[in-house]
Amino acid sequence: MRADAATLPDLTDLAFWAAPESARLAAFAHLRSLDRPVFFAEPRVPLLRPGGGFHALVRHADVLEASRLTAVFSSEPAAVSPEPPPWLPMVFGRPLVNMDDPRHARLRRIVSRAFAPRRLEALDVEIAEIVDEIVTRLERRGSGDFVADAARELPIHVICSMLGIPRERRGFVLSRIDVMTEYSGVRGEMHRLATARLLLGNLRAIVDLRRFVVGLGRQRRRDPGDDILSALVTADVDGERLSLRELGSFFDLLLVAGNETVRNAASHGLVLLSEHPGERERLAADPDALMGTAIEEIVRMCSPIVQFRRTLTRDHELRGHPLPAGSKVVLFYGSANRDEAVFDAPDTFDVGRRPNPHVGFGGPGAHLCLGAHLARRELGALFRAVLARLPHLRTAGPAVPLLSSFDHGIVALPYTV
């Protein structure tokens, strides 16, 4: 089917992302039915956004192709959306997610030790203790906001525990993350001033966290402990080690990506289990057999991160459609995860779904999420405890969604036990 401009959604318009989820899913289903990726123009915002536009990759096969062919679909100058201003990496350095090989491979080789199986297994006790505190709090309060009381708390305490950040400093870290994730959506020309204010707040939060982690990094180099931060700053892989600037960039990525993925999936997971009591009962009856597939299905259904972008290094043909060198594409993971060509009954929540080749942790290849296994551990521990100790925990009203085209988050979610 050919594109008809009158029937196409505008993926760069904030109004689209404010629409009900059912309307957005229907729009992406229409885009998947077209015979070629659709181009969307992006307005230029002086000093903040370069402008231009992108082709939307909405089919599962297209997202896989762009993810695997990293020599063609580059993560530089930026993989995040909206694309940050060109001066930002000159000030703060380029994060791992916005790098290509060989720089990307070098840094990933160093920081991947933070997610080695031995270290993740050692975290299980800590995760269990944090989950126990959260579930006890939910039980004691009886009702409240699930995001504030549970989903927001779990990942930040796990990440801070990994890094050896003391509890008395975690409130500061979380407040800075909340500010950073506000600037995570497409905003149009009418929102230029609001965008500028949000970006300035974002920059201040980055500076605050950078100062904090660089100070910790210097301390750990002088007096290393048994935490991952110490391992990173003292790492020597083939004669290489992280600079303090690189450590700061990785810290930003870990805190934002590692936090938001789990927070979003945990919040949407409670919504899904509340809206599908039959699937919840099925999972509760046999969590040992179904918890793994249930977590994958929650991630597929909610797609915690909506999109990443790539820039073409050379001319390429996708589905017979030419994409010139220098053009940009955006990979829409939520759309790929509902692709009718890959998933039977894609809008159905099935805790036992097999196979489930979702791209909720990003597509396959060099940029597959480093923290995916950690996220699975956290979500599995949380929902096991909820099902066992709070069998009547449910949402008590509609979720308040985060208005963003990048972060599929929930701002508030009332619950009752």
Side-chain angles (χ1 to χ4, degrees), residues 269-277 279-280 283 298 349 351 383:
L270 181 63
V271 173
L272 288 165
L273 292 172
S274 298
E275 291 179 347
H276 301 86
E279 290 302 291
R280 180 190 179 113
L283 176 59
I298 288 170
F349 179 55
V351 297
F383 286 113

Side-chain angles (χ1 to χ4, degrees), residues 163-164 216-225 227 229-230 233:
L163 296 171
L216 279 179
R218 289 194 177 111
Q219 178 186 332
R220 294 295 198 279
R221 277 187 175 169
R222 292 192 303 267
D223 184 20
D227 53 77
L229 185 60
S230 297
V233 297

Side-chain angles (χ1 to χ4, degrees), residues 154-164 254-255 258-259 374 378:
L154 174 59
I156 192 62
H157 282 292
V158 171
I159 291 169
C160 286
S161 176
M162 287 174 63
L163 296 171
L254 178 63
L255 285 174
N259 179 67
L374 176 60
E378 293 177 62

Side-chain angles (χ1 to χ4, degrees), residues 48-285:
L48 298 181
R49 187 192 300 155
F54 59 85
H55 286 86
L57 304 191
V58 295
R59 292 188 183 181
H60 191 272
D62 293 348
V63 169
L64 292 189
E65 182 171 338
S67 300
R68 287 173 172 145
L69 298 180
T70 53
V72 178
F73 294 90
S74 169
S75 294
E76 298 184 11
V80 295
S81 286
E83 188 173 332
W87 51 264
L88 198 65
M90 292 187 287
V91 176
F92 294 107
R94 188 179 297 279
L96 187 66
V97 70
N98 291 344
M99 286 184 187
D100 290 329
D101 291 342
R103 286 190 301 170
H104 173 265
R106 168 190 168 264
L107 284 180
R108 188 173 175 113
R109 189 167 61 248
I110 295 172
V111 301
S112 63
R113 62 179 51 204
F115 301 96
R118 177 181 61 83
R119 288 199 172 272
L120 294 186
E121 289 169 6
L123 274 174
D124 283 343
V125 173
E126 182 79 15
I127 291 172
E129 291 175 355
I130 295 168
V131 166
D132 180 68
E133 291 178 15
I134 288 171
V135 174
T136 299
R137 182 188 309 123
L138 296 175
E139 188 174 25
R140 183 176 66 250
R141 292 181 178 174
S143 64
D145 175 10
F146 187 77
V147 176
D149 293 347
R152 184 174 180 262
E153 292 291 307
L154 174 59
I156 192 62
H157 282 292
V158 171
I159 291 169
C160 286
S161 176
M162 287 174 63
L163 296 171
I165 296 173
R167 281 184 174 263
E168 61 270 18
R169 299 294 287 158
R170 296 178 187 180
F172 162 77
V173 172
L174 186 53
S175 70
R176 299 297 83 200
I177 293 172
D178 286 342
V179 172
M180 289 170 66
T181 55
E182 275 190 281
Y183 184 67
S184 61
V186 171
R187 291 169 170 84
E189 287 294 307
M190 292 178 62
H191 298 270
R192 185 183 300 176
L193 292 178
T195 300
R197 286 195 297 269
L198 284 168
L199 181 56
L200 288 174
N202 178 280
L203 295 178
R204 283 194 295 268
I206 292 174
V207 169
D208 289 344
L209 282 177
R210 288 294 179 88
R211 287 175 176 167
F212 177 69
V213 73
V214 167
L216 279 179
R218 289 194 177 111
Q219 178 186 332
R220 294 295 198 279
R221 277 187 175 169
R222 292 192 303 267
D223 184 20
D226 192 31
D227 53 77
I228 289 173
L229 185 60
S230 297
L232 290 176
V233 297
T234 58
D236 189 328
V237 179
D238 298 331
E240 297 178 313
R241 64 192 302 183
L242 282 180
S243 69
L244 289 176
R245 191 181 191 194
E246 290 168 338
L247 177 67
S249 294
F250 172 66
F251 188 68
D252 292 345
L253 177 64
L254 178 63
L255 285 174
V256 175
N259 179 67
E260 291 303 295
T261 299
V262 174
R263 175 156 76 172
N264 296 348
S267 302
H268 284 285
L270 181 63
V271 173
L272 288 165
L273 292 172
S274 298
E275 291 179 347
H276 301 86
E279 290 302 291
R280 180 190 179 113
E281 291 174 10
R282 181 183 171 199
L283 176 59

Side-chain angles (χ1 to χ4, degrees), residues 1-4 7-9 24-38 40 56-62 319 335-336 338-341:
M1 184 186 299
R2 304 285 289 187
D4 178 358
T7 63
L8 290 178
R24 286 184 277 121
L25 290 175
F28 277 113
H30 176 62
L31 289 174
R32 287 194 300 273
S33 73
L34 304 178
D35 63 352
R36 64 184 61 194
V38 175
F40 293 90
L57 304 191
V58 295
R59 292 188 183 181
H60 191 272
D62 293 348
R319 272 197 279 144
S335 177
R338 304 284 182 123
D339 193 334
E340 305 83 353

